[in-house]
Amino acid sequence: ELKVEQNPLFLSMQEGKNYTIYCNYSTTSDRLYWYRQDPGKSLESLFVLLSNGAVKQEGRLMASLDTKARLSTLHITAAVHDLSATYFCAVPNAGNNRKLIWGLGTSLAVNP
Amino acid sequence: EAGVVQSPRYKIIEKKQPVAFWCNPISGHNTLYWYRQNLGQGPELLIRYENEEAVDDSQLPKDRFSAERLKGVDSTLKIQPAELGDSAVYLCASSLDHLIGSGNTIYFGEGSWLTVV
């Protein structure tokens, strides 16, 4: 059974600092998704990583995927307050239904 | 382009009462999902539709939950009777199709927040 683990679950950081959120998953998968959720809001798609070694960047966020290590990272560069949100990673399970299995989320607070 | 639209946004009901949620997916999206999200957790799939057919409802508590997607567009999710443990956010989402292997993105609505008292 596929399990997806994120760490840390809570992160408080200062503006201007760098940090990395990790997403580990337990069985083979060839792709991974990152979503952002603001309090009381919808889930917003950030990145879709489709192959081993994939790297995508959008503004201060950069995501990468290592399918051999079953690990994805979401790196935050020079954080700003607007990045405060909860970040989820999700991995499709094997088999025909390809259901997305979600991590618990990383709650990020960026402080002035 | 309009996103996934859900209503109501908030609902407070007493236990044992019925409740229904409505979803209008993004135009042209064949696949529709209903998820439940509890506080501090990731979304949990309840049911997935391909057009009007429910193709994955293994996580739907069928004794009290029901869903339909008539004509393969709008969908409703019903709970009857509601229990205290049903308090959660019910998220509707849609995608062009469920070929996750091609990287199709799933777009989420803002959710229907249910409180059962």
Side-chain angles (χ1 to χ4, degrees):
Chain A
E1 179 185 344
L2 173 61
K3 293 184 180 179
V4 178
E5 294 185 351
Q6 290 182 235
N7 73 84
L9 296 182
F10 299 94
L11 175 57
S12 179
M13 57 190 298
Q14 283 188 315
E15 282 189 329
K17 299 292 186 182
N18 304 332
Y19 208 82
T20 300
I21 299 170
Y22 298 89
C23 177
N24 294 274
Y25 52 98
S26 60
T27 64
T28 301
S29 181
D30 59 352
R31 61 210 64 235
L32 185 141
Y33 301 78
W34 283 98
Y35 280 83
R36 166 181 173 151
Q37 187 174 37
D38 292 285
K41 299 294 185 181
S42 181
L43 286 148
E44 173 191 357
S45 177
L46 291 175
F47 301 109
V48 181
L49 302 170
L50 294 176
S51 61
N52 185 39
V55 177
K56 290 193 174 180
Q57 183 165 3
E58 181 72 34
R60 302 174 187 273
L61 299 178
M62 183 172 70
S64 65
L65 178 61
D66 182 342
T67 58
K68 295 180 181 178
R70 300 175 186 168
L71 171 68
S72 179
T73 61
L74 180 65
H75 187 73
I76 303 158
T77 302
V80 293
H81 180 69
D82 285 351
L83 290 179
S84 298
T86 299
Y87 294 85
F88 290 93
C89 62
V91 179
N93 66 0
N96 293 333
N97 66 10
R98 302 283 279 169
K99 183 164 62 179
L100 281 181
I101 306 300
W102 295 75
L104 291 179
T106 296
S107 180
L108 171 66
V110 180
N111 306 307
Chain B
E1 179 183 342
V4 177
V5 179
Q6 292 187 243
S7 69
R9 285 276 283 138
Y10 304 95
K11 191 75 176 179
I12 301 174
I13 61 170
E14 294 183 342
K15 62 181 181 182
K16 301 185 181 179
Q17 294 302 305
V19 64
F21 305 113
W22 174 82
C23 173
N24 187 1
I26 292 174
S27 178
H29 281 194
N30 297 320
T31 305
L32 183 145
Y33 312 79
W34 281 103
Y35 282 88
R36 176 170 59 190
Q37 186 177 23
N38 291 306
L39 191 64
Q41 296 185 18
E44 171 196 14
L45 180 68
L46 293 174
I47 190 168
R48 170 169 66 93
Y49 283 92
E50 297 291 343
N51 298 303
E52 65 272 10
E53 182 182 1
V55 296
D56 184 356
D57 63 355
S58 56
Q59 300 289 93
L60 189 72
K62 297 181 183 65
D63 57 336
R64 297 182 300 107
F65 286 64
S66 64
E68 61 182 11
R69 191 185 183 195
L70 300 176
K71 301 180 182 178
V73 181
D74 295 4
S75 178
T76 56
L77 176 69
K78 298 179 182 178
I79 309 174
Q80 181 171 11
E83 297 179 353
L84 294 176
D86 296 331
S87 296
V89 181
Y90 291 85
L91 295 163
C92 180
S94 70
S95 62
L96 278 172
D97 54 46
H98 190 60
L99 294 177
I100 297 292
S102 65
N104 279 345
T105 300
I106 299 176
Y107 296 89
F108 284 83
E110 292 201 324
S112 293
W113 295 65
L114 174 66
T115 301
V116 182
V117 297

